Amino acid sequence: LTQYRKDVDDEVGESVNQINRILDGIAELNKSIVRTELGGTSSRVANDLRDQRGELVKELYEYMDVDVVEEDNGSFIVSLHGRNMVYYDQVDKVVNQKVMSADGLMVNMPSFSSDLYPLRPTNGQLAAQIEMRDEIIQSYKDDIDTLAGNFIWEFNRAYTQTRGLESFSSLTYTNGPLDSTVTLDLPPIHI
């Protein structure tokens, strides 16, 4: 599960690269559309550029839940939760900030490049990858830890309920208990 979490984290990094490619493309097409329409070039050329930009916006929607507003000059403003990602030809790129997760794994935290504020998308592929990495896989790990702890407790409880015909006067062990005053028939403590 830890390896799978790392693999999903790599997917988060790749998604960020694709998002930046799309944002750059939208910004370039914004600039070209405004120049074309102001320069009096044929409307067919401007429409082709608008179609290309529309396809990039659709692709961006697959990654995250952005808002798109068309300006009077024909350019798009692309924002996520009120934060501009594309404004005319200016792009606030997404960076992968490395942060330590609760279980000690260094993970990618997609953030705005301007101030490193986390993106926090609520829909789309990037949101799903982050949820899988940080919540779903971690939940599976916690369930397995609980199962293992309960198994150990039941196993130890079963073997401490009886004793042999003769009691031991002393025991020697290699790996001792963390607390020698706790009996083996108590349930495990989960922290």
Side-chain angles (χ1 to χ4, degrees):
L1 288 174
T2 299
Q3 183 57 52
Y4 184 50
R5 254 186 105 207
K6 289 177 184 176
D7 293 344
V8 173
D9 187 56
D10 291 343
E11 291 174 15
V12 169
E14 183 54 35
S15 291
V16 165
N17 293 337
Q18 293 302 317
I19 289 167
N20 283 328
R21 177 190 58 79
I22 295 167
L23 294 174
D24 286 338
I26 292 170
E28 283 301 313
L29 287 166
N30 272 347
K31 191 166 38 172
S32 297
I33 289 167
V34 170
R35 282 187 195 151
T36 302
E37 291 182 350
L38 289 177
T41 310
S42 75
S43 62
R44 182 176 172 270
V45 172
N47 286 338
D48 288 346
L49 295 173
R50 285 175 175 274
D51 289 345
Q52 291 174 29
R53 184 179 62 186
E55 290 301 315
L56 286 177
V57 169
K58 282 183 196 175
E59 194 177 344
L60 186 58
Y61 281 140
E62 292 176 13
Y63 286 98
M64 58 186 171
D65 48 333
V66 294
D67 294 313
V68 179
V69 175
E70 185 170 0
E71 293 279 89
D72 291 338
N73 65 4
S75 69
F76 277 176
I77 298 174
V78 178
S79 60
L80 177 68
H81 306 303
R83 301 257 332 228
N84 287 346
M85 299 183 82
V86 176
Y87 184 84
Y88 181 57
D89 66 345
Q90 301 299 308
V91 178
D92 190 357
K93 291 196 179 224
V94 181
V95 295
N96 279 314
Q97 192 176 188
K98 289 289 188 183
V99 296
M100 182 79 69
S101 67
D103 63 345
L105 183 67
M106 292 298 287
V107 296
N108 290 309
M109 176 58 67
S111 305
F112 290 94
S113 63
S114 60
D115 60 2
L116 300 180
Y117 187 81
L119 251 64
R120 304 190 198 292
T122 54
N123 290 310
Q125 183 174 321
L126 183 61
Q129 290 167 336
I130 293 170
E131 180 183 16
M132 175 63 78
R133 179 194 68 199
D134 296 344
E135 296 173 27
I136 296 172
I137 296 173
Q138 188 59 44
S139 171
Y140 290 153
K141 286 177 73 174
D142 293 344
D143 290 347
I144 289 172
D145 285 347
T146 299
L147 177 67
N150 288 336
F151 176 79
I152 291 167
W153 179 76
E154 289 295 335
F155 183 86
N156 287 337
R157 189 177 66 81
Y159 281 92
T160 59
Q161 297 302 309
T162 60
R163 64 175 207 210
L165 296 175
E166 294 181 33
S167 297
F168 292 109
S169 60
S170 68
L171 295 172
T172 304
Y173 51 84
T174 304
N175 296 321
L178 296 176
D179 184 353
S180 62
T181 63
V182 175
T183 61
L184 294 176
D185 62 346
L186 293 177
I189 298 173
H190 297 287
I191 300 174

